[in-house]
Structures are given as structure tokens and as C-alpha cells.
Amino acid sequence: MIRRTTLLASAAALVALPALAADPDLIVFDWAGFESEGLLKSYIEKNGQMPTYALYGDDDEAFQKVASGFKSDVTHPCSQMVSKYRDAGLIEPWDVSRIPEYDNIAPRFKDSRIFNDDQGVWYIPTDYAYTAIAYNTDSVPAEDVASVQSFLDPKYAGRISLPDNTDDIWSLALLATGVSDWTNLTEEQFQAGAQWLRQAHENVRAYWADPSELAQLMATGEVQLAWTWNDAIALMRQEGFPVGFQRQSKEGSATWFCGYVNMKDAPGSEDKAYDFINSWLAHSSAASLLETHGYALTNEAAMAEITPEALKAAELDPVDTTLLAQTPLDPAMRDRMLEEFEKIKAGF
């Protein structure tokens, strides 16, 4: 399963209902599609069943649910959201002495005072990949995706799909306007990105909410170009769709990572929360995550066991291009991005 959701599952996620009722002592609030047994082998071996999952479709939706009182034991935000959880007093530090593989997490994923300060470790990064250009290789010449400006090309009017996701949509807009570091945006850079998005909006057939939706749009021929994650590419290739993934456009691509936070005043078992995160970081999870989602595990020692050929096939091998890292950014600026994107989608 590659983060794929049906319309019914997506509707369930919107109201945060348990999607897979199992172990009542651990509630995991997660992206739809991550309720994967391959990532929880040791958890199942020890506890006899999967945790109980509640699912969501994007980071902003998840934050609003927990901020409004929804209770979970662990939640899976991407890195740029962690400061919001901290500022809202929703999470507490992890005890990394109980997480043996923590030291094997690549330092680049831990190097932030938002994640790790004198109060403790607030975030356990687990998974990462890219956001780049997906295109139909049968109908779109490779030269047309040499630049992200292809999303403005009148030739593809009504034939592109962009993510209905604040962080991914702005990574595209900023790269397109020459910005590769979003941590200190100027007003001029923000306005340039917004203007570019308004132009791209004129060409949008649909804003995709999950990879299965995008796969359907591309399979029918409605969409020829999209800005998306590795899992959508893996899903389409598994289904035999002729899709390319241009990660080395002239302007570059985005890279992101996500992980788990330990919720404060959680209803379930703290011990099982550690069983869960230790299962996720286990070496066996690297191959499973690659196969089921097309993502890489942050555990460097585990990833060293993956062959270069497998990484290349999953579009996870290193690229020689500009990368916009979707790392933590100023929460006030991110709120502006969210508000501006909503206006753009509404036609303003």
C-alpha cells in the first residue's frame, strides 16, 4: 500500500475515526496508508496486534484535530509542523535512552533546536523522500520538464495537478521564483511566489489530496504533469503507468522528512509508544518502507543495507541539483502561506 486511500477512507480520515481498530492501548494518528504491518513487525511480535489507527489527509488537518481535543498517543507530523505542536503544548519529550536506534538517525534530521533542546528530544524523524515533477512519458517530451516553468506552459492548460498541501505547493512556488531556502523569506519573495501560484492555478485541472487520486487523474489522461511525492510514482509504476519523475529540473526539487511526536496527556500506554517507535526504526523497516511507500528510513545504518540499485529504482538515489529542504520555518510565515493558498484556490 503506497499511501493510497479510497474516497471512503479519505472521508473517514476527515473525521478522525479509528481506521483500524486493534490494540486499544495505543492510538496512532497518522497519514492515511501508514497503517502498515511491515513497519511494525517487532510491535506485533511483542503485543500480538497492530495499534489502533486514526487517519488524516494533511498536516494542517491533523494539527487542527489534536488542537481541538482529539486524543492520540503518537502523531506523525512533518518537520515544519513540530514547532506548532510545541507552542500549543500538545507534546512532551521522548526518552531517547529507550530508543536504541536513535543514534543511527542521520544527524541532518536532528539538527534543530525545535527538535532537540535542553528540555529533551521532541521529535523522532522517521521517513523522507522528494517532491518533484511527475509526467506522462508517452505524451510529455523530457525537454518539457527540464524546468518547473512547464506548469505555466499554455500547452498544458487544464492538464496539470498540484498538491492540495501548503508546504508542497509553496516549495514549488519558491523554487520556481529562485528561492531554495524558505527559513527567512522576504516580503518580496513571498509575493513573487504567490504571484507564480496564481499563474499556475490557471492551468490546474485538480489539486490532488492523496497519491491514489493523482494516479487516477494521470491514468485517465486528464493530467499530464504534476508536482508530487515518491509514493505516487511508485504506485503508478506498480500499476504499469508510463510515468517519469524529474527531480533535476533547472530550478531543483524539494526534499522533506516526517516523524513522530509523543503526545502529552495521552490516553494509552507509554511503554507501547516506545515499542511503536522502536519498531519503526528497526532495520527491517527500511526495506518495507521502500517497497510499500517509496520512501527512505532516517536510520542510516538500516539504509546502508539497501542496494544502490533499489534506491535508484525508487528515485531515492542522490541528485545533483538545487534542493529546497522543507525544514521548520517561522510559524507566522507558514500561516500566511496557508491563508494565501486558500485564497488562490478560491480564485482570488
Side-chain angles (χ1 to χ4, degrees):
M1 181 163 52
I2 303 174
R3 205 139 133 197
R4 56 183 76 160
T5 53
T6 64
L7 291 177
L8 180 60
S10 296
L14 290 175
V15 294
L17 293 175
L20 183 61
D23 190 337
D25 293 330
L26 190 73
I27 299 174
V28 178
F29 196 27
D30 216 326
W31 295 85
F34 271 103
E35 62 281 24
S36 170
E37 292 187 13
L39 297 170
L40 295 178
K41 289 180 180 178
S42 66
Y43 184 94
I44 296 169
E45 288 170 3
K46 182 174 181 179
N47 297 291
Q49 56 190 340
M50 291 277 284
T52 294
Y53 277 86
L55 305 176
Y56 56 83
D58 66 61
D59 265 323
D60 291 298
E61 173 196 336
F63 178 78
Q64 290 302 321
K65 296 291 183 187
V66 295
S68 299
F70 177 75
K71 291 293 185 181
S72 64
D73 296 292
V74 294
T75 301
H76 193 180
C78 292
S79 63
Q80 61 274 9
M81 295 294 292
V82 178
S83 59
K84 296 193 73 167
Y85 282 78
R86 285 196 62 178
D87 292 346
L90 294 169
I91 61 176
E92 61 187 19
W94 291 94
D95 178 359
V96 295
S97 71
R98 300 180 64 182
I99 306 174
E101 295 291 343
Y102 179 77
D103 288 343
N104 285 328
I105 295 175
R108 68 183 182 276
F109 298 118
K110 300 186 286 190
D111 186 22
S112 169
R113 295 288 291 172
I114 294 170
F115 305 155
N116 182 1
D117 63 12
D118 54 6
Q119 297 179 61
V121 174
W122 298 86
Y123 188 54
I124 307 297
T126 52
D127 50 299
Y128 69 95
Y130 295 90
T131 312
I133 304 172
Y135 63 102
N136 185 324
T137 56
D138 283 349
S139 57
V140 178
E143 57 267 26
D144 281 12
V145 291
S147 167
V148 298
Q149 304 304 331
S150 59
F151 289 112
L152 304 186
D153 190 334
K155 176 168 45 171
Y156 296 108
R159 305 180 79 191
I160 75 169
S161 184
L162 299 179
D164 194 2
N165 177 296
T166 301
D167 304 295
D168 293 310
I169 200 76
W170 276 92
S171 71
L172 171 60
L174 294 173
L175 282 167
T177 51
V179 177
S180 59
D181 180 355
W182 70 5
T183 56
N184 290 292
L185 288 180
T186 66
E187 181 64 21
E188 182 181 8
Q189 290 170 331
F190 176 84
Q191 294 298 339
Q195 180 57 33
W196 191 92
L197 281 180
R198 285 186 167 84
Q199 291 179 265
H201 176 74
E202 298 302 315
N203 278 359
V204 171
R205 170 75 175 186
Y207 288 96
W208 61 266
D210 66 72
S212 64
E213 178 185 1
L214 175 59
Q216 291 166 10
L217 288 167
M218 294 195 75
T220 62
E222 294 175 75
V223 166
Q224 301 294 306
L225 295 173
W227 185 248
T228 190
W229 310 313
N230 289 62
D231 54 351
I233 302 302
L235 173 57
M236 285 185 270
R237 286 178 177 170
Q238 283 185 5
E239 296 179 351
F241 186 79
V243 64
F245 197 40
Q246 171 58 284
R247 293 183 293 150
Q248 302 202 82
S249 70
K250 176 179 141 183
E251 296 83 359
S253 299
T255 182
W256 50 263
F257 63 96
C258 305
Y260 287 90
V261 289
N262 191 11
M263 303 302 292
K264 186 184 291 186
D265 302 322
S269 166
E270 185 77 353
D271 289 340
K272 289 185 177 182
Y274 284 93
D275 291 343
F276 175 86
I277 200 68
N278 285 325
S279 188
W280 242 97
L281 291 173
H283 286 223
S284 62
S285 293
S288 179
L289 184 64
L290 187 72
E291 178 183 355
T292 58
H293 290 75
Y295 294 168
L297 193 67
T298 56
N299 184 333
E300 284 190 312
M303 288 304 296
E305 299 168 8
I306 305 295
T307 67
E309 293 77 16
L311 290 176
K312 185 175 180 61
E315 305 278 3
L316 288 169
D317 55 316
V319 291
D320 181 20
T321 189
T322 298
L323 287 175
L324 186 153
Q326 293 181 197
T327 52
L329 72 162
D330 176 49
M333 175 55 76
R334 191 181 180 284
D335 287 344
R336 283 193 67 192
M337 290 176 169
L338 174 60
E339 292 169 7
E340 194 72 11
F341 182 38
E342 292 301 318
K343 291 178 185 176
I344 292 167
K345 287 189 294 181
F348 296 105

